[in-house]
Amino acid sequence: MRIQFLGTGGYHPNSRRQTAGLFLAEQGILIDAGTGTYRLPELLRTEELDVFLTHGHLDHVIGLTYLLVPLELGQLKECRVHAAPEVLETVRQHLFAPGLFPMEPRFDYRELAERVELGGLTLTHHPLKHPGGSRGYKLTDGSVTLVAITDTTVDGTYDDFVRGADVLIHECYFSDENQKWCEVTGHSATTMVADLARRTAVGRLYLTHIDPYQPGEDPVGLATARELFLRTFVAEDLLTIEC
Ligand SMILES: [Zn+2]
Ligand SMILES: [Zn+2]
């Protein structure tokens, strides 16, 4: 399985990171459509795209508006948008309100099924604690498993969902110094994420959804994470990983 980060920042883009997007070009699967979605047309290898939304916050859905052109030009023949009913409602009512974005792309909106089989992969999901809720996704081809978790505060409720994954992609908005903001904002900090990776015995951990106010080389304190879980990496935009 090959997956590429289209955006690794939270909230808003900065000079280093666009917002949320994980792309599996081979299968035509996109998890979240943040600002990094502008990169999609040059990376697309399929004529159909399945977008799975974690939740309806703007940094995860604004890129749906960028799919209008590939759909109108025929680069994309079909685009299915999968999400919980309330998320689809938010997108249709608000993101595509005529006063905000006057042309609605030809999306096929799909209420998220419990289990989706797509391009040789099985996709399942798990609810996460976040203002308004969010959803973590698990993808497996039968031999390897990848779990993508954003946006949430690590709370022990999804350990079993993550356990044993070959790759865990997890949000890490804050360094430990700013951990006090986790509960208020519904995000996670370094030690809590690294400890989750350690206790659930995943293969590798990639940190994403980084605070855009931290554009430097070490935004969340990688050494701290590696003390708990050595195989931790901070994802960068356009990084591709194999698992
Ligand atoms: Zn977010
Ligand atoms: Zn959010």
Side-chain angles (χ1 to χ4, degrees), residues 52 68 73 124 149 192:
F52 293 87
L68 175 72
L73 295 181
T124 50
I149 302 284
M192 54 174 79

Side-chain angles (χ1 to χ4, degrees), residues 82-98:
H82 308 253
E86 64 276 14
V87 175
L88 294 180
E89 185 68 13
T90 298
V91 165
R92 302 187 75 164
Q93 291 289 317
H94 301 292
L95 186 63
F96 292 109

Side-chain angles (χ1 to χ4, degrees), residues 9-11 20 32 54-55 57 59-60 130 150-151 171 173 187 209:
Y11 186 14
D32 275 341
T54 59
H55 62 309
H57 288 168
D59 53 331
H60 300 255
H130 188 60
T150 199
D151 297 10
E171 81 129 273
Y173 198 94
H187 292 296
H209 202 275

Side-chain angles (χ1 to χ4, degrees), residues 2 14 16 57 71 75 81 91 110 117 120 132 134 136 143 184 188 193 213 217:
R2 180 180 291 182
N14 62 19
R16 185 170 191 142
H57 288 168
L71 276 164
Q75 186 188 8
V81 178
V91 165
R110 301 262 177 111
E117 306 281 346
S134 186
S143 60
V184 188
S188 297
V193 181
Y213 284 87
E217 286 298 318

Side-chain angles (χ1 to χ4, degrees), residues 122-135:
T122 302
L123 182 146
T124 50
H125 45 90
H126 194 281
L128 302 171
K129 189 177 94 170
H130 188 60
S134 186
R135 209 151 269 274

